[in-house]
Amino acid sequence: MPLTTDPSRFTELQLFEGITFAMFDSEQRVLCFVTWAALLDRAAKDGTRQTDVRGTFEQYRWKIELIASGNYDQGEARPVVRAEQLTPR
């Protein structure tokens, strides 16, 4: 079952690690994570500031959430979005 966006839009920046964000499986809150490397690679490919990882996250939140939902459906209890998923080569 696909995850849905947390209405609170909770995020927590973990410096040099990535961003934790929440989604929902029906009523159950699911913590998800996008790696720092994924955000840096995405910014580099776009030619945007690599120091603005939160901005990159917000710009691609829809895609990050879609990937996290797919990872959850494939069995990841705490989905992690990795560089090769957000910015395929």
Side-chain angles (χ1 to χ4, degrees):
M1 176 178 194
L3 296 176
T4 57
T5 301
D6 177 358
S8 76
R9 300 189 58 85
F10 162 83
T11 63
E12 182 179 323
L13 178 66
Q14 297 177 18
L15 199 56
F16 304 116
E17 293 180 30
I19 294 179
T20 299
F21 59 100
M23 296 185 75
F24 277 90
D25 178 357
S26 295
E27 300 294 318
Q28 180 182 346
R29 189 170 187 245
V30 177
L31 287 179
C32 305
F33 186 77
V34 58
T35 67
W36 192 266
L39 297 167
L40 290 179
D41 284 0
R42 183 73 258 173
K45 182 155 187 164
D46 293 346
T48 58
R49 288 186 354 200
Q50 292 181 342
T51 56
D52 185 15
V53 292
R54 192 175 292 280
T56 300
F57 174 80
E58 289 302 331
Q59 181 178 354
Y60 285 94
R61 185 175 191 138
W62 65 272
K63 186 172 185 178
I64 291 166
E65 289 183 346
L66 186 66
I67 294 166
S69 181
N71 290 350
Y72 183 78
D73 287 344
Q74 292 179 10
E76 286 187 34
R78 293 189 64 174
V80 176
V81 177
R82 296 164 185 82
E84 62 274 9
Q85 295 175 303
L86 187 57
T87 312
R89 305 223 182 258

